[in-house]
Amino acid sequence: MLIFTILVFFCLLSAFITFGLGVFVFAKNPSSPANRLFIVAMLAATYWALGEFLIWHTGGYENVWLWLKYSSFWPFVIAFTVHFVLTFTGHPLSTYRNKWCMAIALYLPAAIISMLGVLSDTIYTVLYREGIGYTYLPVQGSPVYLAETIYILSMMLWAAYVSITSWRAALDESIRKQSFLVSIGLVTIIVCGVLSGILLPVFGIFTPNMVFIGIVIFTLLITYAILTCGLFILSPETAVPDILRTMPDGMVLLDTDGRVIAVNAAASEIFAMEEQNLRGREIASLLPEKEYKSIWRTILEQGQVSDMEAAISQEPYRVGSIAGALVRDPTGNPAGSVLVIRDITSRKESEKALRIANEKISLLTELTLHDISNLISALSAYLELMREGIAGPAHDAYLSSSSQVVEKITRHLRFAREYQEFGSSQPAWQNLGNMVAHAVDDIQHEGIGVMLRIDPIEIFADPLAVRVISNMLDNAIRHGEKVTRIRVWTEERPGKKMVLIFEDDGVGIRDEEKEYIFRYGFGKHTGLGLAISRDILSITGITIRETGKANEGARFEICIPPQAWRRLE
């Protein structure tokens, strides 16, 4: 009788432990599918344990019969437990696309067995036994009872096999320990269940279900795994979704036909499409054909690919570095592939800017050395004439010419020093309205009205771009001769181009000079202002041209390509 009391006590103990552990695990991470399935399995086990406790705790035929029918849905405990194990180990059947296979294999048999238990006497019956009282016994020889036994035993053995396989395949020590403890717990439940449900009844021994001893041991092992190796905190199923959701690189999961199964938020941002719109699309429609074929061929031949660059989109312009690998199922067969895409647009633009800057600085060095060499030759000639000559008008003329040559050399050197600054810093996103406002504040424009109408946008340009704007305003005041008004405004044109326009009411620029003004050495002063301005802007693909009419005023248009501007939010 003491044994019966202990076994009944284990039913009640199991109910309390499973309920408490289920709530605790769920609270750890309510968004995790494994945690949600675990609490469902534990609550179902609580329901089953309470039913078993009440069957043995209450006397009378009617009461036993009532709680037996109440407990008829216990096969769902097995279904939920197996589902949890499949999800925890990342088994292919646990994926969303296999939900119907899961429903048919796990839940449909459990539902049929449960309904037969409620509506018929083909599985269990209630009998009176001396020394025990009323209890339930299996209907020996019943095909329904046999089917139930086969279903329960096969499902639990399958779950144990999946868990043991995961344990043996795991590389990380913590994951191995987690899978090992779960496997031991499942095997314990199976042993207790077989002992109580199959072996003892063969010898005519009927006791409260010993499976609850196995459940208590299982919960203790789970608790130990939580405390020592991060179960439900550090596991493939619980950690990977959070990592994929928050990782800055885009992740795209593909099936064997190259169709998108899942993406994370970063991939959605890179492709400028909603996640639901990306699912089901062929990856070939999202990547350039040449790069796609190269990536796919390399993955199929080598199993992986890394650092493959591709232009992901044109509007907005984005460049990505793509890595990928073949994904295999537990049997080793290809099940799809995964791509990791890193947005390297800013890096590529910076590399381009640095390359252009180096080329321009090299060109400027050659021009400066050539010009200074010529000027030094001229200065030497003047000095020689002055040394040989005598005082008089010619001497003064040579001295004045020498001073002018020195001034030109100084301007060349000053410009070269300023030019070295451009390209030394990486381009950055800058508020265009603030840039124009600062440029206006930096120039003297008393008596000249400056009217601004700038859209709220940012441009991607070299930090010296603000000097370009200052130079445009200064040129209008310095060379316009009769300027009374300067207008600066932006307008968006077809092709998502943004144009920054400078217009004055001065003398303008003759048609034959419209291109020459951007050349080095041309102009009324050094002629270098517009030349360096064009180079500074060209770092990020921005162009400049003069479109005004002579005698009606100058008009400069700075054209900003789509990838180099964006609206402020």
Side-chain angles (χ1 to χ4, degrees):
M1 197 63 188
L2 177 61
I3 295 178
F4 272 74
T5 302
I6 293 174
L7 293 177
V8 172
F9 168 76
F10 264 101
C11 294
L12 187 60
L13 179 63
S14 174
F16 281 109
I17 292 178
T18 52
F19 178 81
L21 183 61
V23 172
F24 175 77
V25 168
F26 179 73
K28 284 284 185 182
N29 188 0
S31 63
S32 167
N35 291 40
R36 292 199 296 263
L37 280 169
F38 187 81
I39 189 176
V40 171
M42 291 298 98
L43 292 178
T46 301
Y47 147 83
W48 186 19
L50 287 175
E52 185 76 10
F53 172 77
L54 292 171
I55 287 174
W56 293 93
H57 191 68
T58 58
Y61 176 86
E62 292 78 6
N63 290 332
V64 173
W65 184 258
L66 172 66
W67 292 114
L68 178 64
K69 296 299 180 182
Y70 164 84
S71 304
S72 294
F73 293 94
W74 70 269
F76 278 99
V77 179
I78 307 301
F80 292 139
T81 302
V82 175
H83 196 170
F84 158 72
V85 171
L86 296 177
T87 301
F88 171 73
T89 58
H91 193 278
L93 273 180
S94 65
T95 60
Y96 180 78
R97 63 176 180 173
N98 292 321
K99 61 180 181 179
W100 292 113
C101 295
M102 184 74 71
I104 293 173
L106 287 180
Y107 295 104
L108 182 60
I112 293 173
I113 293 171
S114 298
M115 292 309 299
L116 289 173
V118 173
L119 302 175
S120 71
D121 301 332
T122 56
I123 303 178
Y124 297 102
T125 185
V126 177
L127 295 175
Y128 182 82
R129 298 183 66 83
E130 290 291 339
I132 299 177
Y134 286 99
T135 184
Y136 66 94
L137 301 175
V139 179
Q140 299 292 342
S142 168
V144 178
Y145 174 72
L146 180 62
E148 178 197 66
T149 303
I150 294 173
Y151 165 75
I152 299 302
L153 191 58
S154 61
M155 288 296 102
M156 291 302 295
L157 289 173
W158 181 34
Y161 169 77
V162 170
S163 183
I164 293 172
T165 302
S166 176
W167 160 54
R168 297 182 63 184
L171 299 177
D172 182 83
E173 187 60 31
S174 295
I175 305 302
R176 283 179 58 85
K177 191 174 181 180
Q178 292 174 15
S179 299
F180 174 75
L181 292 171
V182 171
S183 301
I184 294 298
L186 291 172
V187 171
T188 303
I189 293 175
I190 293 171
V191 170
C192 292
V194 169
L195 185 63
S196 180
I198 298 176
L199 296 181
L200 293 181
V202 170
F203 297 98
I205 302 173
F206 299 96
T207 64
N209 203 332
M210 297 174 64
V211 74
F212 296 105
I213 297 177
I215 290 177
V216 170
I217 295 173
F218 175 78
T219 57
L220 293 176
L221 290 171
I222 292 293
T223 303
Y224 178 74
I226 292 173
L227 297 175
T228 61
C229 54
L231 181 60
F232 297 114
I233 301 172
L234 179 64
S235 69
E237 193 283 324
T238 57
V240 170
D242 288 337
I243 294 173
L244 295 180
R245 186 171 56 253
T246 58
M247 67 185 293
D249 295 338
M251 190 282 298
V252 182
L253 185 63
L254 308 172
D255 63 17
T256 52
D257 296 324
R259 293 186 179 276
V260 177
I261 299 173
V263 298
N264 65 352
S268 178
E269 182 178 353
I270 289 173
F271 289 112
M273 296 177 64
E274 296 292 335
E275 292 183 35
Q276 57 267 27
N277 295 332
L278 283 170
R279 296 193 191 100
R281 290 179 65 107
E282 292 186 358
I283 192 64
S285 67
L286 302 172
L287 298 176
E289 182 179 3
K290 180 181 177 181
E291 286 80 357
Y292 161 73
K293 289 182 177 179
S294 178
I295 292 169
W296 200 246
R297 182 174 59 253
T298 305
I299 289 178
L300 292 178
E301 292 175 355
Q302 303 179 13
Q304 62 181 11
V305 65
S306 61
D307 297 329
M308 182 74 72
E309 294 184 4
I312 299 171
S313 65
Q314 296 298 326
E315 294 186 8
Y317 180 75
R318 290 182 184 272
V319 181
S321 175
I322 303 175
L326 199 63
V327 177
R328 300 183 183 276
D329 62 21
T331 63
N333 295 319
S337 58
V338 62
L339 300 180
V340 177
I341 305 172
R342 172 167 293 179
D343 189 342
I344 59 171
T345 306
S346 296
R347 192 189 81 190
K348 298 302 291 184
E349 290 174 344
S350 298
E351 289 175 356
K352 177 184 176 183
L354 182 60
R355 185 179 66 254
I356 293 174
N358 288 333
E359 292 174 356
K360 297 297 184 182
I361 289 174
S362 178
L363 173 62
L364 176 70
T365 301
E366 293 180 10
L367 291 172
T368 302
L369 289 174
H370 179 269
D371 292 343
I372 290 179
S373 178
N374 291 336
L375 290 170
I376 289 176
S377 297
L379 179 61
S380 297
Y382 286 130
L383 292 174
E384 181 64 24
L385 290 171
M386 291 172 62
R387 186 176 65 83
E388 295 177 354
I390 57 175
H395 183 277
D396 293 339
Y398 294 151
L399 182 59
S400 176
S401 297
S402 298
S403 298
Q404 291 176 8
V405 171
V406 171
E407 183 181 350
K408 288 181 180 180
I409 293 174
T410 302
R411 285 201 299 266
H412 276 292
L413 293 174
R414 185 187 305 117
F415 175 77
R417 184 173 62 251
E418 291 180 354
Y419 202 102
Q420 282 185 327
E421 296 178 13
F422 120 76
S424 62
S425 299
Q426 292 188 350
W429 288 101
Q430 305 169 64
N431 187 307
L432 182 59
N434 292 342
M435 294 170 66
V436 174
H438 291 160
V440 172
D441 290 340
D442 288 341
I443 63 169
Q444 299 292 328
H445 58 93
E446 288 80 2
I448 298 176
V450 180
M451 292 169 285
L452 308 178
R453 193 182 77 248
I454 309 298
D455 287 340
I457 65 171
E458 290 181 322
I459 65 170
F460 189 74
D462 189 272
L464 286 177
V466 67
R467 297 278 297 275
V468 172
I469 299 174
S470 298
N471 187 51
M472 302 302 299
L473 297 172
D474 184 67
N475 282 346
I477 296 171
R478 185 186 299 272
H479 305 302
E481 297 182 3
K482 59 175 184 176
V483 174
T484 61
R485 183 186 73 252
I486 300 175
R487 296 175 58 217
V488 184
W489 76 96
T490 54
E491 64 178 45
E492 186 174 355
R493 293 182 180 174
K496 292 199 69 177
K497 295 178 179 179
M498 181 64 70
V499 180
L500 175 63
I501 302 169
F502 296 80
E503 186 178 81
D504 63 55
D505 58 353
V507 297
I509 299 172
R510 294 194 300 271
D511 291 343
E512 60 269 21
E513 295 182 351
K514 289 183 181 296
E515 182 59 30
Y516 287 104
I517 60 176
F518 294 105
R519 295 185 181 180
Y520 292 100
F522 181 87
K524 297 177 182 179
H525 289 269
T526 64
L528 296 176
L530 289 175
I532 191 173
S533 294
R534 182 174 60 179
D535 287 343
I536 290 172
L537 296 175
S538 69
I539 288 178
T540 53
I542 302 174
T543 60
I544 181 173
R545 63 175 182 160
E546 206 285 329
T547 61
K549 294 182 179 179
N551 300 317
E552 294 184 11
R555 176 187 171 102
F556 287 88
E557 296 185 358
I558 296 177
C559 184
I560 308 166
Q563 68 270 19
W565 73 275
R566 63 189 182 189
R567 293 195 178 276
L568 291 169
E569 297 180 356

